[in-house]
Amino acid sequence: MMATDFNIEFSERLKALPPYLFVEIDKAKRAAKAAGRDIIDLGVGDPDLPTPQHIIDALNKAAQSPANHHYAFDAGLPQLRTDIAQWFNKRFGVSLDPDSEIYPLVGSKEGLAHLPLGIINPGEKVILTDPAYPAYRASINFAGGKIINLPLKESHDFVPDLKRVEQIKDAKFMYVNYPNNPTSATATKEFYQELVAIARAKGIILISDMAYSEIYFDGIKPPSILEVEGAKDIAIEFHSFSKTYNMTGWRIGWACGNRTLIAALAKVKSNFDSGIFQAIQLAAIAALKTDPRDLDDLRNLYQERRDCLINGLRSIGWKIPPPKAAFYVWAKIPKSFNDSMETAKAFLEKTDIVATPGVGFGEAGEGYIRMTITVPKDRIALAVERLRKVL
Ligand SMILES: *Cc1c(COP(=O)(O)O)cnc(C)c1O
């Protein structure tokens, strides 16, 4: 039979997504690797260390049991939710009802991306900080929301200017993500108090993404928005096992907070997925019991790498304020470059270093480049040596 050209087109909602700006860099990176060049990849936000052994053991054991081979459905194992509640109370001093205020997710990205479908109607306004984790923008587009960009400025420590939030009329919800990807900024409890007061007065739903809650430096623990009195009336917070326990590939996280928002998310999800593999839920229960000293070791390791990169770059004349949390260095591009894309391309071509152009996270990210510290210290030191020759 002759092939027929059916001219299949993507949907309007798919076509409306912003262009994927990393395509060119990705292509160049693959070509460089294929050519045998020694690439130092400071582009991907994915821990290089393996998942701790006790978590792998829990998965192995649970995978053997046929009882875990079925659809897990909905809210999953009650024990996972009670253990999350216990962990949350210990870490943030906030009590959560395991049955109505906690919901497990197939990774926090999944929940973040599905929630808008459950709460916004086409045309409703959503406040999005810029730069931001790209999945937010896509999911608002899918749900038909109208994005109001709120720039995060270095002069304002990369937290939103709340005076501007007060001026925005009829916003349905707003994202906050601290520790922040890509800027690594953190937020204080005072900031959350002000934000919650404004959101309550204006009826704005708050979505807090705390994927990096446990990756912090210098002993300063990032607070949860749910620590603020009254936050539970309007806020939902997303947490992840990915970054804390080196479990990015396992796909498990949770949402917690306002029960109506949790119910909306649960209803959307029940139409998309059928729960999280129970053996992975059991492994997550083991993860929550990780020796706190192991997490201290992980933070110390990232802190050493951070200092190696920041001090190294300073020694070659590139001064960047050290991040307080997460595993990103968000750096103003050197003066010899015009924009972030040109910088990223030059790094790859001249130094075999992959870094992410800031503009890929939103217009306000232009002028910056993101480098991750998810590679060993000797590779970071080598990256600095290579950069010395071009800067
Ligand atoms: C890594 C990341 C996530 C996604 O985490 P998963 O639980 O692996 O889906 C969510 N938000 C931000 C800002 C991230 O960087």
Side-chain angles (χ1 to χ4, degrees):
M1 216 167 76
M2 228 163 64
T4 313
D5 186 1
F6 278 108
N7 190 27
I8 295 167
E9 271 193 54
F10 287 175
S11 67
E12 294 307 321
R13 82 175 64 80
L14 208 53
K15 284 195 261 181
L17 289 186
Y20 181 64
L21 288 165
F22 307 133
V23 176
E24 255 182 287
I25 299 277
D26 278 350
K27 229 171 153 180
K29 175 172 106 181
R30 268 196 300 271
K33 274 190 181 157
R37 280 158 58 188
D38 177 29
I39 299 292
I40 302 176
D41 196 345
L42 308 181
V44 210
D46 190 346
D48 56 318
L49 296 178
T51 306
Q53 192 58 46
H54 67 283
I55 303 173
I56 300 172
D57 291 344
L59 173 73
N60 278 339
K61 185 163 164 249
Q64 299 299 328
S65 166
N68 293 326
H69 296 171
H70 303 281
Y71 287 125
F73 287 126
D74 305 331
L77 293 172
Q79 204 204 327
L80 175 59
R81 283 177 281 115
T82 34
D83 283 6
I84 288 171
Q86 211 171 46
W87 180 92
F88 209 88
N89 201 350
K90 199 162 164 210
R91 170 68 174 84
F92 299 110
V94 174
S95 56
L96 295 166
D97 171 27
D99 291 327
S100 62
E101 295 177 331
I102 296 175
Y103 209 85
L105 303 167
V106 191
S108 63
K109 180 182 187 178
E110 174 265 302
L112 284 158
H114 279 141
L115 181 64
L117 290 174
I119 52 173
I120 52 173
N121 296 306
E124 284 181 329
K125 284 193 224 165
V126 176
I127 303 173
L128 182 62
T129 51
D130 176 9
Y133 182 58
Y136 309 150
R137 195 173 288 276
S139 64
I140 301 164
N141 276 325
F142 285 160
K146 184 171 178 291
I147 292 172
I148 311 290
N149 283 306
L150 186 65
L152 297 179
K153 299 203 173 116
E154 188 159 357
S155 57
H156 213 269
D157 296 326
F158 297 115
V159 292
D161 181 351
L162 294 180
K163 285 192 205 78
R164 294 203 45 187
V165 176
E166 277 189 302
Q167 287 159 2
I168 299 170
K169 285 202 185 81
D170 309 319
K172 187 76 178 264
F173 65 89
M174 171 175 168
Y175 289 87
V176 274
N177 164 220
Y178 295 99
N180 184 259
N181 177 9
T183 68
S184 273
T186 52
T188 60
K189 186 152 173 205
E190 291 68 39
F191 166 79
Y192 285 139
Q193 277 163 340
E194 262 183 79
L195 176 65
V196 167
I198 292 169
R200 287 181 64 101
K202 296 179 66 92
I204 304 172
I205 293 163
L206 298 174
I207 302 179
S208 167
D209 178 356
M210 262 204 111
Y212 298 93
S213 74
E214 304 315 299
I215 313 292
Y216 55 80
F217 306 128
D218 310 311
I220 304 164
K221 291 184 184 183
S224 158
I225 197 168
L226 299 177
E227 291 175 34
V228 176
E229 216 183 303
K232 254 196 219 173
D233 296 338
I234 41 148
I236 184 169
E237 191 163 79
F238 288 83
H239 287 261
S240 174
F241 289 83
S242 291
K243 317 292 165 48
T244 310
Y245 305 107
N246 306 325
M247 288 173 74
T248 46
W250 296 55
R251 311 315 301 134
I252 185 160
W254 75 87
C256 57
N258 180 270
R259 57 185 66 198
T260 309
L261 294 171
I262 295 281
L265 179 56
K267 195 161 180 184
V268 173
K269 277 174 60 60
S270 70
N271 289 286
F272 281 101
D273 66 70
S274 299
I276 306 155
F277 182 26
Q278 212 156 276
I280 291 181
Q281 296 188 46
L282 288 160
I285 289 170
L288 291 170
K289 297 187 167 59
T290 300
D291 188 333
R293 283 169 302 186
D294 292 350
L295 293 182
D296 284 335
D297 289 347
L298 183 73
R299 285 184 281 265
N300 287 336
L301 178 87
Y302 283 134
Q303 190 163 328
E304 273 179 28
R305 292 173 175 182
R306 171 198 73 168
D307 294 343
C308 176
L309 183 59
I310 293 287
N311 295 336
L313 293 177
R314 189 186 302 132
S315 78
I316 60 172
W318 194 5
K319 291 193 190 72
I320 304 155
K324 297 190 188 99
F327 42 54
Y328 304 108
V329 168
W330 183 244
K332 240 188 202 133
I333 59 173
K335 287 207 172 59
S336 47
F337 297 101
N338 292 310
D339 61 44
S340 60
M341 195 62 86
E342 184 193 307
T343 314
K345 280 186 196 159
F347 277 19
L348 185 56
E349 275 161 30
K350 295 185 184 144
T351 66
D352 290 342
I353 292 169
V354 178
T356 309
V359 70
F361 300 97
E363 269 170 47
E366 185 52 273
Y368 289 87
I369 193 153
R370 193 193 76 175
M371 289 171 278
T372 64
I373 48 173
T374 51
V375 299
K377 216 164 84 178
D378 60 325
R379 300 291 285 169
I380 291 176
L382 180 61
V384 171
E385 281 321 300
R386 290 185 188 172
L387 286 169
R388 185 189 298 277
K389 292 186 192 110
V390 293
L391 292 185

